[in-house]
Amino acid sequence: MMKNLLLSFFLIGTIISCSSTKKEKPTKEVGTASDNIMPKVASGKIERIDNFKSKFIDSRLIDVWLPNNYSSDKKYSVLYMHDGLMLFDSTISWNKQEWMVDENVSNLLAKGKIQECIVVAIPNNGKYRSSEYLPQKSLDGLSSKLLDKVIKERLAGKTLADNYLKFLTQELKPYIDNKYSTLTSRENTFVMGSSMGGLISLYAICEYPDVFGGAGCLSTHWPMVYAEKFTLEENKQITDGIIAYTRTNLPNPNTHKIYFDYGTETLDSQYEPYQLRIDKVMKEKGYTSSNWETKKFVGENHSEKSWSKRLAIPLEFLMGTN
C-alpha cells in the first residue's frame, strides 16, 4: 500500500515537473531579427556598434551602413531608419524579408539621383517596440481610463516614444556626427520607417523640426492600436488623437519634406480612410507637391517585400539631387 502510494506521488511529481519545464514556442515581435549575426550586404559595408548605452532607453546594437566610396574627405547626409534589423539581410530577419536598403541606396547613388548618404539602422527592442514608436503626445486628450487601457493593451505597460526620440537626437545623432563625416544640419538629416515606424518618423519630425528635415512614413499604422481590443468609440478617440496631434505639430512646409504611402492588401487595407484625413491636414497646413507626397500602391501588402519595391520613391523624394 505504502509502495503504491509513493509510486503515485512520484508519477504526479514527474508530470508536474515536465509541464513546468516545457518551453513555449517563442513569439516574434514584428521587426525583430537575430541580433547576434552581422547582416550581409550586396554593396557598401556595415559597421556595428555592439552595445550603444542610453540613459533614456534600453541599450542596443546600432548598424551603420556606409556606401562603397565612403571617405572622410567627403561629407554625407544621414538617414536614420527604425526596425533596423529588417533592412539589409533577409536571411537573418524573422520573416525572411528585407527592405534591400543597400541595393536601393547604392543604385540611386550610382545614378546620381540622391545625395551622398549613410544609413543608421536602429533595431527595435521587441516587447517595447510599440511603446517606443507610438506617438506619446497623441494620447494626451484621452480619458485616464482609456489611456490606461491603451498603455496596458498596446504599450506593454509604459510609454517610451518621447524617451526614444531623446535617445535619437541627444545621444545617437551626436555620436554619429562625431564618428562619421556627416552633414549635421536639418536639411541633411532624415528619418524613415514603416507601420509603427512610420508613426515614430512623423513624430520625430514634428517634435524635433530643427533636427530632421525629412520624414518617410511607409504604410503608416494610423489605427495605432489593436482595434479588436477596443470599442468603435475608443478606436475613434485614439485615431482622432493622432490626427489632432499632426494638425497642431506639423513642421514648416517651407523647410521640411514628408512622404506617406500605403498599399491595399493585408494590414494596409485599413489605412486609406485615415490617410485621407491626414492628407487634408497636410493641405490645410500649406504642404504641396514640392514638399509632401502621399502614394497609394494597389495590390501591395504590409511587408518588407512591398516596401523594398518602392523604397526608391521616398528616398528620391526626400534626398533627391534635383
Side-chain angles (χ1 to χ4, degrees), residues 226-238:
Y226 302 119
E228 65 274 11
K229 295 185 177 183
F230 296 82
T231 67
L232 288 175
E233 179 57 30
E234 287 173 337
N235 278 297
K236 182 180 184 303
Q237 291 178 35
I238 293 165

Side-chain angles (χ1 to χ4, degrees), residues 17-242:
S17 175
C18 290
S19 297
S20 63
T21 56
K22 183 181 179 180
K23 294 184 178 180
E24 294 183 0
K25 185 178 180 180
T27 57
K28 287 284 189 179
E29 180 72 25
V30 174
T32 58
S34 303
D35 62 4
N36 59 343
I37 304 174
M38 181 71 78
K40 295 179 180 179
V41 292
S43 59
K45 68 175 183 177
I46 287 178
E47 293 187 356
R48 170 163 287 183
I49 307 163
D50 285 319
N51 189 25
F52 193 97
K53 299 289 187 182
S54 170
K55 64 183 180 182
F56 299 113
I57 60 171
D58 296 341
S59 62
R60 66 199 62 191
L61 66 85
I62 303 292
D63 284 337
V64 182
W65 180 85
L66 306 174
N68 284 324
N69 62 348
Y70 177 81
S71 169
S72 58
D73 294 332
K74 294 193 289 186
K75 294 288 186 179
Y76 297 81
S77 296
V78 184
L79 172 61
Y80 292 88
M81 296 189 71
H82 313 293
D83 291 322
L85 291 171
M86 303 299 294
L87 304 181
F88 303 106
D89 187 350
S90 63
T91 67
I92 65 169
S93 67
W94 71 273
N95 62 359
K96 303 306 177 187
Q97 296 186 42
E98 60 169 292
W99 284 62
M100 300 180 67
V101 168
D102 48 319
E103 293 93 337
N104 275 288
V105 174
S106 294
N107 181 53
L108 292 173
L109 287 174
K111 295 177 179 178
K113 290 188 174 182
I114 61 171
Q115 54 197 273
E116 296 276 359
C117 66
I118 68 174
V119 179
V120 180
I122 311 156
N124 71 65
N125 67 346
K127 179 180 179 181
Y128 295 109
R129 175 177 181 264
S130 293
S131 306
E132 291 184 348
Y133 288 0
L134 190 148
Q136 197 165 328
K137 292 177 182 174
S138 73
L139 305 176
D140 285 350
L142 301 183
S143 68
S144 59
K145 182 180 179 180
L146 182 52
L147 176 60
D148 288 345
K149 185 175 180 180
V150 172
I151 292 173
K152 177 184 176 182
E153 297 290 347
R154 181 57 162 162
L155 304 181
K158 60 178 75 176
T159 54
L160 294 172
D162 288 348
N163 272 1
Y164 178 77
L165 293 185
K166 288 177 183 177
F167 147 73
L168 193 59
T169 58
Q170 298 178 28
E171 295 176 331
L172 183 57
K173 185 179 187 300
Y175 176 90
I176 295 297
D177 289 340
N178 182 63
K179 182 171 181 179
Y180 296 97
S181 184
T182 65
L183 295 164
T184 63
S185 66
R186 172 186 64 203
E187 294 77 14
N188 297 285
T189 306
F190 306 89
V191 61
M192 184 180 293
S194 62
S195 195
M196 295 297 291
L199 286 174
I200 194 62
S201 297
L202 175 64
Y203 196 47
I205 200 172
C206 288
E207 289 292 294
Y208 292 91
D210 293 336
V211 175
F212 301 105
C217 312
L218 286 71
S219 296
T220 309
H221 189 63
W222 298 116
M224 305 267 280
V225 297
Y226 302 119
E228 65 274 11
K229 295 185 177 183
F230 296 82
T231 67
L232 288 175
E233 179 57 30
E234 287 173 337
N235 278 297
K236 182 180 184 303
Q237 291 178 35
I238 293 165
T239 53
D240 282 352
I242 186 61

